[in-house]
């Protein structure tokens, strides 16, 4: 079924960028999957396995897999280490939403406009580096107005809109995911009104929500104003997934796109989230969301896979035995520059530990759909898909097929970064075997 579709190299490479029906663009989260592609994949799997009821994404990011699952009425579960990813996904996958979002956002903008206070509502270090004074004043007025909202989903919706407002009005360059301030003369020439930006974004976000909910309603997945399936999104490190998913697991289907290297040398999800998170009330994200994540600009990336040597990691010898391809690749790397080999090995040792947890929460015989990008180190492409295949097969899984998705106009994070060579993605369709 999937193989037959995969015979057409463009079937999974949809140029259809329609992102309006899953509230997809409420925040520009890095490396988002394409909703229509994920939905097609899910549809193909559901044809073969109509008994599937739940989908799990252990690296959920902005929640693309989960909203794809909602289009099929599935129970959707996901976690991510990054609190901003959790906030975005919680907003998108909420079982109930407020249909007055646009009107409420208008009121919030009006209140912020009427507010004359000069107090700055964030205590970040180096604030002057990242925000012009007038911008910080308006963001503070928005933050005060959002706090007055009584409905939690509504506040979360407004926080996501504020997060995107921060991204667009800070002094950080939007062309890279790494924090990098614009030159002083460029900053001085910018004239910005966060309140106006917020109002425009809120309108667009509310409209994309209405479209998403209408689609779900048309498909009969909304009953008494509530999504019919379970939706559960948690803050959590996948290496510990077994500890906190015990109550909801095992899951029927995995759909994910994992990181493909440590954040610092691939995609700095944490740095990208650092400025927005400084303007959001963490307790509105989750009671366990840890503000120490904002200790430095690097902290979220440091806690992510491959960031710092963690306790739960495979031994290097076990890893290299499990994947001869990885061993061959790592052994061929020059020791300089940049310590490429040890970073690569550290990432995969962490990744191995997360595979143990993931397999622990999946049902026997369940399908897993892994979308992976390739990256280069020292000019050589890491065979990410083949390494993943070997690691999974070593854990008694069976790679059923590997599909190729060409990337038509993916936004490149950093022009000169290692990920800039990524022009196609591989999609591994895998079945879990006996432990
Ligand atoms: C490729 S992105 C996922 C993007 C997502 N598919 C989407 O469409 O938005 C990978 C995600 O893995 C998360 N991540 C990295 N290390 C993690 C860990 N140890 N546990 C859970 N999530 C982690 C990152 O924060 C990031 O959101």
């Amino acid at each position: 079924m999937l193989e037959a579709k995969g015979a057409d190299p463009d079937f999974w490479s949809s140029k259809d960028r329609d992102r309006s029906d899953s509230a997809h663009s409420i925040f520009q989260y890095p490396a988002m999957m394409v909703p229509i592609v994920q939905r097609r994949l899910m549809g193909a799997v559901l044809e073969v396995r109509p008994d599937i009821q739940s989908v799990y994404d252990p690296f959920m990011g902005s929640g693309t897999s989960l909203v794809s699952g909602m289009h099929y009425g599935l129970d959707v579960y996901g976690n991510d280490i990054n609190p901003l990813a959790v906030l975005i996904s919680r907003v998108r996958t909420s079982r109930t939403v407020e249909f007055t979002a646009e009107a409420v956002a208008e009121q919030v903008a009006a209140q912020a406009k009427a507010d004359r206070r000069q107090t700055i509502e964030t205590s970040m270090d180096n604030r002057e580096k990242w925000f012009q004074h007038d911008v910080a004043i308006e963001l503070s007025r928005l933050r005060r107005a959002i706090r007055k909202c009584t409905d939690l989903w509504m506040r979360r919706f407004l926080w996501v809109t504020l997060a995107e407002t921060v991204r667009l009005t800070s002094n950080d360059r939007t062309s890279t995911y790494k924090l990098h301030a614009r030159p002083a003369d460029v900053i001085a020439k910018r004239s910005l009104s966060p309140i106006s930006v917020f109002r425009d974004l809120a309108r667009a976000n509310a409209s994309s929500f209405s479209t998403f909910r209408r689609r779900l309603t048309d498909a009969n997945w909304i009953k008494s104003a509530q999504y019919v399936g379970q939706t559960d999104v948690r803050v959590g490190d996948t290496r510990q997934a077994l500890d906190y998913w015990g109550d909801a697991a095992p899951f029927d289907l995995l759909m994910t796109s994992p990181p493909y290297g440590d954040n610092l040398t691939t995609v700095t999800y944490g740095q990208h989230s650092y400025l927005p998170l400084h303007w959001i009330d963490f307790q509105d994200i989750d009671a366990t969301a840890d503000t120490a994540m904002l200790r430095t600009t690097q902290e979220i990336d440091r806690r992510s896979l491959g960031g710092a040597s963690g306790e739960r990691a495979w031994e290097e010898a076990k890893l290299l035995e499990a994947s001869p391809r990885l061993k061959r690749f790592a052994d061929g790397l020059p020791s300089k520059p940049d310590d490429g080999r040890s970073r690569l090995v550290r990432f995969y040792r962490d990744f191995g530990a997360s595979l143990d947890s993931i397999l622990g929460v999946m049902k026997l015989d369940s399908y897993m759909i892994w979308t992976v990008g390739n990256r280069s180190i020292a000019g050589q492409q890491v065979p990410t898909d083949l390494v993943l295949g070997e690691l999974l097969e070593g854990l008694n899984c069976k790679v059923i097929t590997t599909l190729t998705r060409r990337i038509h106009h993916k936004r490149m994070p950093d022009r000169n970064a290692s990920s800039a060579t990524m022009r196609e993605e591989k999609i591994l369709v895998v079945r879990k075997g006996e432990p």
Side-chain angles (χ1 to χ4, degrees):
M1 175 79 210
L2 284 159
E3 289 91 330
K5 291 189 164 133
D8 167 3
D10 265 336
F11 185 80
W12 304 112
S13 311
S14 175
K15 290 190 182 119
D16 180 353
R17 308 294 287 177
D18 180 12
R19 295 168 162 212
S20 61
D21 68 353
S22 304
H24 191 65
S25 303
I26 56 173
F27 183 85
Q28 285 298 321
Y29 196 76
M32 287 193 286
M33 297 194 279
V34 182
I36 189 106
V37 173
Q38 300 309 312
R39 220 176 313 149
R40 281 182 182 172
L41 283 163
M42 213 174 254
V45 174
L46 284 167
E47 272 179 39
V48 188
R49 291 282 291 268
D51 56 314
I52 288 174
Q53 274 185 5
S54 58
V55 60
Y56 170 54
D57 189 341
F59 302 104
M60 110 200 119
S62 61
T64 314
S65 311
L66 308 193
V67 291
S68 301
M70 291 173 80
H71 281 279
Y72 293 102
L74 301 180
D75 297 333
V76 301
Y77 301 89
N79 62 270
D80 201 289
I81 203 160
N82 181 351
L84 187 61
V86 173
L87 175 69
I88 301 164
S89 296
R90 283 210 161 147
V91 171
R92 293 177 79 193
T93 61
S94 176
R95 296 184 72 202
T96 54
V97 304
E98 274 295 325
F99 283 99
T100 50
E102 186 172 343
V104 174
E106 281 294 336
Q107 279 170 20
V108 164
Q111 271 179 33
K113 201 104 202 149
D115 184 344
R116 303 262 54 89
R117 282 168 65 185
Q118 298 288 320
T119 330
I120 303 279
E121 300 284 346
T122 186
S123 55
M124 66 184 298
D125 295 338
N126 267 339
R127 178 177 42 80
E128 290 81 5
K129 174 176 178 186
W130 298 113
F131 297 95
Q132 295 183 69
H133 183 68
D134 291 353
V135 167
I137 294 284
E138 285 204 8
L139 290 173
S140 300
R141 291 173 177 168
L142 285 165
R143 188 173 191 183
R144 280 195 290 274
I146 293 172
R147 281 178 169 157
K148 289 196 190 126
C149 241
T150 49
D151 180 82
L152 178 61
W153 181 84
M154 194 62 235
R155 279 203 306 282
R156 285 179 174 155
F157 171 87
L158 296 166
W159 290 132
V160 173
T161 307
L162 187 71
E164 184 67 355
T165 306
V166 169
R167 196 181 74 79
L168 295 173
T169 59
S170 78
N171 297 337
D172 184 27
R173 298 180 190 197
T174 46
S175 53
T176 64
Y177 294 131
K178 281 200 179 109
L179 280 167
H180 193 171
R182 295 164 200 253
D185 57 323
V186 174
I187 295 173
K189 281 193 213 122
R190 291 176 91 208
S191 159
L192 297 160
S193 165
I195 297 176
S196 308
V197 172
F198 176 87
R199 184 181 265 139
D200 291 345
L201 289 170
R203 247 179 239 141
N205 288 354
S207 145
S208 79
F209 255 98
S210 312
T211 312
F212 178 33
R213 296 304 280 203
R214 213 174 313 123
R215 290 281 172 95
L216 295 182
T217 307
D218 292 347
N220 273 333
W221 301 134
I222 307 268
K223 300 256 160 73
S224 312
Q226 184 160 295
Y227 176 66
V228 292
Q230 294 301 318
T231 70
D232 195 342
V233 161
R234 301 189 187 179
V235 187
D237 185 330
T238 297
R239 286 166 285 188
Q240 273 114 42
L242 268 169
D243 304 350
Y244 54 82
W245 281 118
D247 54 334
F251 306 119
D252 296 335
L253 171 68
L254 175 127
M255 177 171 270
T256 197
S257 62
Y260 45 93
D262 65 291
N263 289 10
L264 201 62
T265 61
T266 56
V267 179
T268 51
Y269 299 97
Q271 286 193 43
H272 190 66
S273 311
Y274 176 81
L275 297 177
L277 280 172
H278 268 285
W279 293 91
I280 294 169
D281 287 357
F282 262 48
Q283 71 271 20
D284 275 355
I285 299 178
D286 189 274
T288 66
D290 180 6
T291 47
M293 285 276 201
L294 300 182
R295 209 171 49 86
T296 68
T297 56
Q298 315 267 332
E299 186 63 15
I300 296 177
D301 295 319
R302 208 183 65 84
R303 294 192 194 188
S304 300
L305 292 190
S309 312
E311 278 167 30
R312 295 206 193 183
W314 281 9
E315 292 297 329
E316 179 170 337
K318 170 179 171 174
L319 170 71
L320 298 180
E321 193 185 329
S323 177
R325 290 221 181 231
L326 181 66
K327 181 172 187 325
R328 217 176 309 140
F329 184 85
D331 288 349
L333 281 177
S335 55
K336 298 214 177 330
D338 297 337
D339 207 12
R341 185 184 191 281
S342 56
R343 276 181 177 280
L344 177 78
V345 169
R346 189 165 69 205
F347 169 76
Y348 274 107
R349 289 179 56 208
D350 283 351
F351 189 65
S354 61
L355 286 181
D356 286 335
S357 303
I358 290 168
L359 292 176
V361 296
M362 296 306 298
K363 268 191 194 145
L364 184 64
D365 267 343
S366 56
Y367 275 90
M368 298 189 275
I369 301 177
W370 295 82
T371 300
V372 291
N374 281 323
R375 61 168 303 211
S376 298
I377 300 180
Q380 301 176 52
Q381 200 167 81
V382 187
T384 315
D385 53 323
L386 302 173
V387 172
L388 174 63
E390 285 184 340
L391 295 178
L392 285 169
E393 298 219 321
L395 295 165
N396 292 332
C397 297
K398 170 105 186 75
V399 178
I400 300 167
T401 187
T402 300
L403 310 165
T404 300
R405 188 175 91 76
R406 294 189 195 138
I407 298 172
H408 290 290
H409 33 214
K410 190 156 183 142
R411 185 170 175 269
M412 284 304 163
D414 295 275
R415 227 165 265 287
N416 299 317
S418 52
S419 45
T421 53
M422 192 170 74
R423 287 283 177 273
E424 58 178 39
E425 281 173 346
K426 299 285 184 189
I427 301 164
L428 275 72
V429 182
V430 180
R431 197 163 57 223
K432 180 186 159 175
E434 296 279 357

